[in-house]
Amino acid sequence: MSVTSRYKDAWEGFWNEAPDETGAVFWDAEPALTAGPHLALFEPHLADLALPMVDLGCGNGTQTRFLADRYDSVVGVDLSPAAVERARSQDPDGRARFEQLDATEEKAVQELHARLGDANVYVRGVLHQCEPADRRPLADAVATLVGTRGRALLVELAEAAKPVLMGLAQDPAGAPPKLRPVFAHGLTPGEVADAAVPALLGAAGLSVVARGELPLTTTEYRPDGTRIALPSKWWVVGRTG
């Protein structure tokens, strides 16, 4: 299967219209507040640090470039060609490799695994943006890329994030400027139940190695000047049998 054209068009429209400036996108926080803390959770559970690292749903590649400073082989993949083009343009030294990939397309994911071999996979906020029919194929894609030796870290908005987002969107003063394009393009963050993530991963043949909670930092601020951080949960998974 593949993602719906509406969903792909929504992301393509979002990335075509998103400003180029650093931190202009709601979730594009600096790596010191995102991928950095996530790696501190992930690396103790990696069975093989030498495996390629795949940033699944890389967007404009901010976190991918951070990962490429720490691993020898890093590939950022995204559904949106516009996102991939932007990621490449912001990586003139070619620290990472960027490719367009529909992660619900089984054959395309298998071809990527055939080229890379088993990989460690970083997934930040992708499942909670998926439409329901795409969630299991995405979990299967993670399992394919991990293979037998890799591990994956998934960081997803918790259920508790949805009322926070709705409160921000419905504020009488209007939604924060960086959140408005998310809703304007029909993207729906925070739609996955907490218990659904490990269930999806288990159905794909992956076991949870570690889990926890950590606020997901955004680039937006409240009127009082405090940074908006959303409740999130994380899971490290792999094949342990």
Side-chain angles (χ1 to χ4, degrees), residues 19-188:
D20 285 328
E21 292 81 10
T22 300
V25 172
F26 183 70
W27 55 79
D28 195 32
E30 53 268 40
L33 300 176
T34 48
H38 294 157
L39 282 187
L41 301 170
F42 194 18
E43 285 191 336
H45 303 287
L46 295 181
D48 189 344
L49 285 165
L51 294 180
M53 179 70 74
V54 176
D55 184 3
L56 180 58
C58 67
N60 61 357
T62 299
Q63 313 307 320
T64 323
R65 295 189 295 276
F66 175 85
L67 295 172
D69 286 338
R70 286 149 181 78
Y71 301 100
D72 291 335
S73 176
V74 176
V75 182
V77 298
D78 200 276
L79 172 67
S80 165
V84 172
E85 181 179 349
R86 183 170 300 200
R88 288 172 176 161
S89 71
Q90 294 180 4
D91 185 25
D93 297 329
R95 287 182 287 170
R97 188 163 80 251
F98 294 97
E99 301 181 15
Q100 191 276 332
L101 178 76
D102 179 347
T104 69
E105 283 282 6
E106 183 179 6
K107 182 178 179 182
V109 175
Q110 289 174 341
E111 289 174 351
L112 178 61
H113 179 260
R115 286 188 281 118
L116 295 179
D118 291 354
N120 295 315
V121 184
Y122 177 53
V123 189
R124 182 177 69 105
V126 178
L127 263 175
H128 79 84
Q129 288 279 11
C130 285
E131 295 186 345
D134 295 327
R135 294 169 192 162
R136 172 61 193 273
L138 181 67
D140 289 340
V142 172
T144 296
L145 294 172
V146 163
T148 59
R149 296 182 298 147
R151 293 280 166 87
L153 171 69
L154 293 93
V155 182
E156 296 292 337
L157 291 186
E159 287 179 48
K162 186 172 182 179
V164 177
L165 287 166
M166 293 302 101
L168 292 169
Q170 295 166 7
D171 189 288
K178 295 177 187 177
L179 187 57
R180 293 171 195 166
V182 176
F183 292 108
H185 284 280
L187 305 175
T188 54

Side-chain angles (χ1 to χ4, degrees), residues 8-27:
K8 185 173 183 178
D9 290 347
W11 278 109
E12 189 71 353
F14 176 88
W15 282 114
N16 273 319
E17 295 180 14
D20 285 328
E21 292 81 10
T22 300
V25 172
F26 183 70
W27 55 79

Side-chain angles (χ1 to χ4, degrees), residues 200-219:
L200 285 165
L201 296 167
L206 296 171
S207 300
V208 174
V209 177
R211 69 176 76 199
E213 300 181 6
L214 186 72
L216 192 64
T217 303
T218 76
T219 62

